[in-house]
Amino acid sequence: TVPGGLETPDVIDLRKGKRGDAAPQLYQVLEQKEARVGEGFMGTTHTYVMPGSAAAAAQAGGLLRKQGDVDLTIAPEQLEAGGLGDEALAAMYERQVSKEKEAARPEDFSDLVAENMQKQKRKADQKEKDKSKRFKFDEPVRGGGGGPAR
């Protein structure tokens, strides 16, 4: 006779997981989307759509903002002093909205373009001046001989 607990079981299952589980999904085919990213040698003409990646990234980073949301920074001293009334909050809000509108406005590059055009014109004038100094054929040839001009 064998003492209790020492008998050999009929079946030994050494596998991980439960029986009857379906095989886990090992890969997923991603949707390909036409887009031009970069140019030249390392550019590509397509991108891949990652399902749920934008929502997951926004959720993780706390970036779920709606159009028109404004972030205000309030110092703890302002709250404790009780100096923040409705008018003060409204003024802070208006300042922040105007800053964001200013940042979103397209930049004016006309002064940079004018400066670049001036620089190109100056270079072209200098090049033309150097070219005219190098080749002076203004003097008439005298003597009528077949020799080189002096």
Side-chain angles (χ1 to χ4, degrees):
T1 74
V2 178
L6 295 179
E7 60 267 349
T8 305
D10 293 337
V11 177
I12 298 175
D13 191 8
L14 299 176
R15 294 183 183 163
K16 293 181 181 179
K18 299 176 184 172
R19 286 187 173 241
D21 277 348
Q25 185 177 0
L26 300 177
Y27 65 92
Q28 179 179 3
V29 178
L30 298 176
E31 178 185 344
Q32 188 173 352
K33 183 177 170 184
E34 295 294 323
R36 292 197 48 83
V37 178
E39 291 189 25
F41 182 64
M42 297 298 284
T44 183
T45 58
H46 60 273
T47 59
Y48 294 99
V49 177
M50 301 291 288
S53 64
Q59 187 84 18
L63 301 175
L64 295 177
R65 290 187 62 178
K66 296 177 186 157
Q67 179 97 15
D69 284 354
V70 177
D71 292 332
L72 287 179
T73 304
I74 301 173
E77 297 84 32
Q78 292 174 320
L79 291 175
E80 292 170 358
L84 282 180
D86 290 340
E87 298 85 23
L89 282 175
M92 288 176 71
Y93 173 79
E94 290 300 324
R95 279 195 304 267
Q96 188 65 26
V97 166
S98 66
K99 282 182 185 177
E100 288 183 8
K101 281 184 182 178
E102 183 70 25
R105 198 178 81 209
E107 292 187 41
D108 183 22
F109 292 113
S110 60
D111 56 340
L112 293 174
V113 170
E115 183 180 323
N116 193 24
M117 292 295 289
Q118 186 71 16
K119 192 185 297 182
Q120 286 179 349
K121 185 178 184 305
R122 202 169 34 243
K123 279 185 180 179
D125 290 345
Q126 183 66 30
K127 193 173 186 180
E128 188 67 33
K129 188 177 176 184
D130 290 345
K131 188 184 275 187
S132 67
K133 281 184 180 179
R134 194 177 328 151
F135 303 109
K136 280 200 169 182
F137 296 115
D138 297 343
E139 297 179 18
V141 178
R142 295 185 185 175
R150 293 185 190 158

